[in-house]
Amino acid sequence: MRTFLIAGNWKMNAGPAEAKQLATDIVNNWKGKTFSSEALLCPPFVSITTLAECFSETAFKTGAQNVHTEDNGAFTGEISTSMLKDAGCEYVIIGHSERREYFHEDDELVARKTKKVIDDGLKAILCVGEKLEQRKSGDHENVVKTQVNAVLDHLGKDVSDKLVIAYEPVWAIGTGETATPGQAQQMHQYIRGLIAEKWGAKSGDSVRILYGGSMKPGNAKELLSQKDVDGGLIGGASLEAGSYSEILEIADSI
Ligand code: PEP
């Protein structure tokens, strides 16, 4: 049985003061209670240390939304893996569709970033997913296959314990539109097959595959109940302490 990972992506929301309030509210929601999932929140870079401090005596974990491939040097505006570890991160989201779209991150760069994260002892949440026209034309599996294999080929060796994949159909992110549980299950199973092809059935079975795209308390149960859905990458709903906590509760009830 895989442990659910319930990960929040705060995107460019919640500077230190707001992040402290939100994190405190989440922690307070769980005072005297426990959860069995892994709970992770990924704030903007400037709020990482604040979150790590708020979570220090709790089971909540802190992650980042991006990282650079170099250790340090003349890369104005960038952040390295060692800095993220120093700040208290355990996970890094890589290749989110917003980074692919607005910051022109291609499969090659996403692959290099994923390798860097894993080589340096962090865990990577690799985001993949098709655009609406690619789903409509029936190309969604091919698109996801290319995105996944670009990274697996670059990683070479089996690191399935340090890699999480988030299937996020681009048409479902921030739109209120959600993949049906059946669409999510079908793609998750397909991705598991791609991992099994490269690293064997055991790794295919054990790697965690999250669903992302307008997950909220109202649809979380159906999505998380799918056999190959091992958690969620949650944007909007993770910015409300109540909604995020509710999704954690739902995961526990499955
Ligand atoms: C995301 O940011 O990865 C995401 C899935 O956002 P939302 O839940 O708001 O669709």
Side-chain angles (χ1 to χ4, degrees), residues 163-232:
L163 180 68
V164 175
I165 296 189
Y167 169 56
E168 301 207 303
V170 179
W171 46 273
I173 297 179
T175 58
E177 187 102 12
T178 319
T180 64
Q183 284 172 323
Q185 167 56 29
Q186 184 276 329
M187 186 61 91
H188 283 224
Q189 192 175 0
Y190 179 71
I191 293 170
R192 220 175 274 296
L194 296 174
I195 309 246
E197 251 172 51
K198 296 277 178 196
W199 293 340
K202 197 160 169 258
S203 299
D205 199 39
S206 67
V207 82
R208 281 190 296 185
I209 307 176
L210 315 183
Y211 170 78
S214 300
M215 186 183 274
K216 45 187 180 280
N219 59 25
K221 184 151 191 129
E222 262 193 313
L223 288 161
L224 293 172
S225 298
Q226 300 304 306
K227 178 176 164 288
D228 288 298
V229 176
D230 305 316

Side-chain angles (χ1 to χ4, degrees), residues 63-100:
Q65 302 171 19
N66 183 29
V67 73
H68 192 61
T69 52
E70 298 298 323
D71 290 324
N72 44 49
F75 300 102
T76 302
E78 294 294 328
I79 301 275
S80 70
T81 50
S82 59
M83 293 172 192
L84 292 182
K85 283 200 285 186
D86 192 6
C89 283
E90 197 171 312
Y91 283 87
V92 189
I93 298 170
I94 300 290
H96 191 281
S97 61
E98 288 150 17
R99 296 223 50 93
R100 293 179 190 258

